[in-house]
Amino acid sequence: MRTGRKSRRSAAPRKKAHRLPDVAVLIGSLRQNSFSRRLADAIARVSGPRLTFRMPDLRLPLYDDDEFRDAPPESVAAMKACVSAADAILFVTPEHNRSIPAALKNTIDWGSRPRGQSCWAGKPAAIVGGSIGLRGAAIAQAHLRSMLVSLECRLLGQPELYIHYTPDNLAALESPGTDQVLAGFAAKFEAWILHQSERRETRP
């Protein structure tokens, strides 16, 4: 028997609009036209509108715990502010003597101090890199990964990106094949950032 009442359909839940994830890009090589910087620029280019990138200056003084007695150096404070404000971190590293460059290690040390004020803990992060060695900075990336896990970064496990290059094939970073690989990495990284963000929002 009909009651004459119109059935009400529940409205579909609206999807929450996400702003573009903001990524702090830490480039281990300080040289202006280094392969690492060009790799970071290439990832930013193929990412299109999905991610925004900020590249803080890593020309920091050598880590000295005494510097925190009053206030950290301005360059350190600026780096930590950039990382703290970002939704995620992308580490781009070459390989120096089977490990990461001194500038990157120095940045990690500054960012982890003072105790209890680390800018790394809880941040979604990913690692990429390249070198003229056949392993494509694999050893440096392994060292960096062990550091970041201990600092409680939420590291993207896959895909891993190791690039072997020579000084005369830097243009390969602009090839269609390389663009496809980098775009695939950027898409996975974006999904990882959003996943970690959703996990934080749903925690009681």
Side-chain angles (χ1 to χ4, degrees):
M1 183 175 68
R2 296 181 180 178
T3 62
R5 294 180 180 177
K6 293 181 180 179
S7 62
R8 294 181 179 178
R9 295 182 179 178
S10 59
R14 293 182 179 179
K15 291 184 178 180
K16 185 178 179 180
H18 289 286
R19 64 177 176 80
L20 295 181
D22 189 77
V23 180
V25 184
L26 304 186
I27 303 171
S29 176
L30 300 181
R31 188 163 56 87
Q32 187 59 39
N33 199 34
S34 68
F35 177 83
S36 295
R37 186 167 297 276
R38 294 178 68 166
L39 174 57
D41 289 340
I43 293 173
R45 173 173 52 80
V46 301
S47 295
R50 297 195 304 268
L51 300 169
T52 58
F53 293 89
R54 303 180 191 278
M55 301 180 182
D57 190 355
L58 303 192
R59 291 178 175 85
L60 311 177
L62 285 176
Y63 177 77
D64 181 355
D65 199 58
D66 286 340
E67 294 287 348
F68 280 116
R69 288 183 177 177
D70 298 316
E74 290 185 5
S75 57
V76 172
M79 180 277 294
K80 291 194 70 172
C82 178
V83 172
S84 296
D87 299 302
I89 312 166
L90 176 62
F91 292 86
V92 186
T93 184
E95 186 167 299
H96 290 185
N97 299 317
R98 302 291 182 97
S99 190
I100 63 173
L104 190 53
K105 179 60 167 65
N106 190 48
T107 298
I108 292 170
D109 290 344
W110 277 116
S112 66
R113 294 292 188 273
R115 186 176 298 276
Q117 299 180 35
S118 171
C119 63
W120 313 120
K123 291 287 185 181
I127 303 171
V128 300
S131 72
I132 58 175
L134 293 177
R135 295 180 179 87
I139 298 175
Q141 290 193 45
H143 282 189
L144 180 56
R145 187 172 297 274
S146 67
M147 295 177 201
L148 298 181
V149 168
S150 70
L151 292 170
E152 298 184 85
C153 282
R154 309 302 186 201
L155 277 174
L156 174 68
Q158 295 291 335
E160 296 178 322
L161 192 59
Y162 310 107
I163 301 178
H164 164 63
Y165 70 93
T166 59
D168 59 352
N169 78 342
L170 294 180
L173 276 177
E174 301 174 359
S175 70
T178 303
D179 278 1
Q180 185 176 2
V181 171
L182 297 182
F185 168 83
K188 290 284 188 180
F189 188 31
E190 178 196 15
W192 178 246
I193 297 169
L194 296 178
H195 172 67
Q196 293 297 314
S197 176
E198 291 168 359
R199 285 187 61 188
R200 287 195 299 269
E201 290 174 0
T202 56
R203 285 175 183 169

